[in-house]
Amino acid sequence: MKSFTQYLKEDLRKWFSKTDPDGDWQRINSKGEAIGPCAAAPGEPKPKCMSRKKRKSLTKKQRAAAVRAKRRHDPDANRSGSPINVSNYGGGKISEDATPLEEKNIPTSPEKWSRAKALARSKFNVYPSAYANGWASKKYKAMGGGWRTA
């Protein structure tokens, strides 16, 4: 039997893709509407983000319930630390004993990757985040860096 992590294939290109069904991640407001990129603006409550596919599978009411649940279980927008995952169906926290995702890609040039991460930290208010990591990855590739699998 395969483990959970063997089935899971994460790819930041999917997150940012406007055409991939698992991409186009958008922030959802308390009315259940998609309102922009998956990042909180200063002074804004904790964002709840969903892919295009997930947004289409839920009604506006269900999306609003998921936002309420997220803000109920993770009320501090400026809290640091690992994310608190909340069900998209308004059911509350997702099990704490889930297997964490392990990074499978290793930078071919660790010095360039460190520099790209440092630039991302100075550019974005929140690091690490999906957008900051995506930006750092693009910057790293532009610097001539590459990836190899572990």
Side-chain angles (χ1 to χ4, degrees):
M1 178 183 267
K2 289 185 178 182
S3 72
F4 175 74
T5 54
Q6 288 172 323
Y7 282 109
L8 186 61
K9 298 272 189 214
E10 287 291 327
D11 187 351
L12 279 177
R13 288 177 291 229
K14 282 186 172 189
W15 277 57
F16 293 104
S17 172
K18 298 291 182 192
T19 57
D20 192 297
D22 292 328
D24 192 22
W25 281 72
Q26 297 269 321
R27 180 170 86 248
I28 308 299
N29 68 11
S30 58
K31 296 174 188 170
E33 302 161 335
I35 57 171
C38 188
E44 193 174 86
K46 185 64 83 173
K48 175 67 178 173
C49 301
M50 293 181 192
S51 67
R52 176 185 302 129
K53 184 177 178 181
K54 183 52 69 178
R55 290 191 313 266
K56 283 185 174 188
S57 74
L58 299 174
T59 66
K60 198 172 182 180
K61 233 176 159 178
Q62 288 173 320
R63 291 190 303 259
V67 170
R68 286 191 303 274
K70 173 71 173 182
R71 292 180 181 164
R72 183 173 55 249
H73 291 289
D74 196 4
D76 183 6
N78 298 317
R79 181 185 61 79
S80 61
S82 61
I84 296 175
N85 295 318
V86 177
S87 167
N88 285 323
Y89 300 99
K93 287 186 196 179
I94 295 176
S95 177
E96 302 270 332
D97 57 338
T99 307
L101 178 64
E102 295 295 322
E103 183 68 36
K104 301 290 185 217
N105 295 324
I106 298 169
T108 56
S109 177
E111 306 82 30
K112 289 178 184 174
W113 178 235
S114 292
R115 179 71 183 135
K117 288 193 303 185
L119 290 170
R121 282 189 189 97
S122 67
K123 181 176 176 65
F124 293 91
N125 292 334
V126 178
Y127 187 88
S129 70
Y131 279 95
N133 281 336
W135 185 89
S137 178
K138 285 182 181 181
K139 189 71 167 175
Y140 171 66
K141 293 282 279 186
M143 296 163 109
W147 303 96
R148 65 180 172 86
T149 54

